[in-house]
Amino acid sequence: MRLERLAGGHILAVAAALALLLVMAMTWYGSHEADFARQLANGATIGGGEAGETGRAVQEDADRIIARDEKTPWQERARLDRGLLVLLLLSIALPLLAAALRAADRRPVPPWTPTAFAGLIAAAAGVLLAYRIVNQPGNNDLTTVKPGALIGLALVALIGIGSALAFRGEAEWAKRDVSSAADEPTPSP
């Protein structure tokens, strides 16, 4: 296994996939109420004899609202969100598999390669995630989209671009390999 065999597209897709895995731990959806609770909890400075008790009560209420309303892609329960989670996980796994195969000097024959599937799955995940950003889980008037979802969309796009570049290289290699095999003289009996 040699990492020098990886094309730039593989490296881009793998780096974006690993970053996406980290971004999936960020908050992607919230609510106006949770945003207000976070502001209130951060700015709750109450003076006087009962400052500690009141401050703790405000903090507990804010934490409860934040925990209820702020979600990562792992926490959403709707069927659409579960499908998105599966596509995101495949968008992470397939570029890693494609890069591992390429580093091991295994070259699947196009068009059905792990790199091609990585690009297709990333495109599907990007479309579904873009839809979910426009049509948030729950009530659209109450739900807010956090930066994690937008960063996730950008990373899915980078996975798709990297996979497309890597696939183009695989297709060119396969074309050269076929043409060079056709140019070789056949041994005469």
Side-chain angles (χ1 to χ4, degrees), residues 5-14 94-95 98-99 102 107-108 110 113-116 118-119 158-174:
R5 294 181 180 137
L6 295 179
H10 286 115
I11 294 169
L12 175 62
V14 166
L94 287 172
R102 180 67 191 105
R107 294 182 181 249
T113 66
T115 306
L158 288 175
I159 292 169
I161 291 168
S163 296
L165 292 172
F167 179 74
R168 189 172 71 189
E170 289 175 354
E172 289 172 2
W173 171 83

Side-chain angles (χ1 to χ4, degrees), residues 90-110:
L90 286 172
S91 293
I92 293 167
L94 287 172
L96 296 174
L97 174 66
L101 289 174
R102 180 67 191 105
D105 202 24
R106 293 203 172 145
R107 294 182 181 249
V109 179

Side-chain angles (χ1 to χ4, degrees), residues 38-181:
R38 189 171 295 283
Q39 290 174 356
L40 189 62
N42 289 339
T45 53
I46 300 168
E50 297 188 15
E53 184 178 323
T54 305
R56 279 190 298 277
V58 167
Q59 186 66 43
E60 287 173 8
D61 287 343
D63 289 344
R64 182 182 46 78
I65 292 169
I66 291 167
R68 179 193 70 201
D69 292 353
E70 290 188 350
K71 304 289 184 205
T72 67
W74 299 97
Q75 295 169 318
E76 284 298 331
R77 299 275 185 237
R79 186 174 300 185
L80 179 68
D81 296 306
R82 288 295 160 190
L84 175 59
L85 179 62
V86 168
L87 289 175
L88 290 171
L89 292 173
L90 286 172
S91 293
I92 293 167
L94 287 172
L96 296 174
L97 174 66
L101 289 174
R102 180 67 191 105
D105 202 24
R106 293 203 172 145
R107 294 182 181 249
V109 179
W112 306 114
T113 66
T115 306
F117 285 120
L120 292 172
I121 293 294
V127 167
L128 193 55
L129 180 53
Y131 170 77
R132 208 43 162 163
I133 288 172
V134 172
N135 185 16
Q136 303 93 3
N139 186 345
N140 281 356
D141 294 333
L142 301 177
T143 305
T144 59
V145 176
K146 300 294 183 181
L150 301 173
I151 295 168
L153 182 61
L155 290 171
V156 168
L158 288 175
I159 292 169
I161 291 168
S163 296
L165 292 172
F167 179 74
R168 189 172 71 189
E170 289 175 354
E172 289 172 2
W173 171 83
K175 191 183 301 182
R176 277 195 310 262
D177 191 43
V178 167
S179 65
S180 66

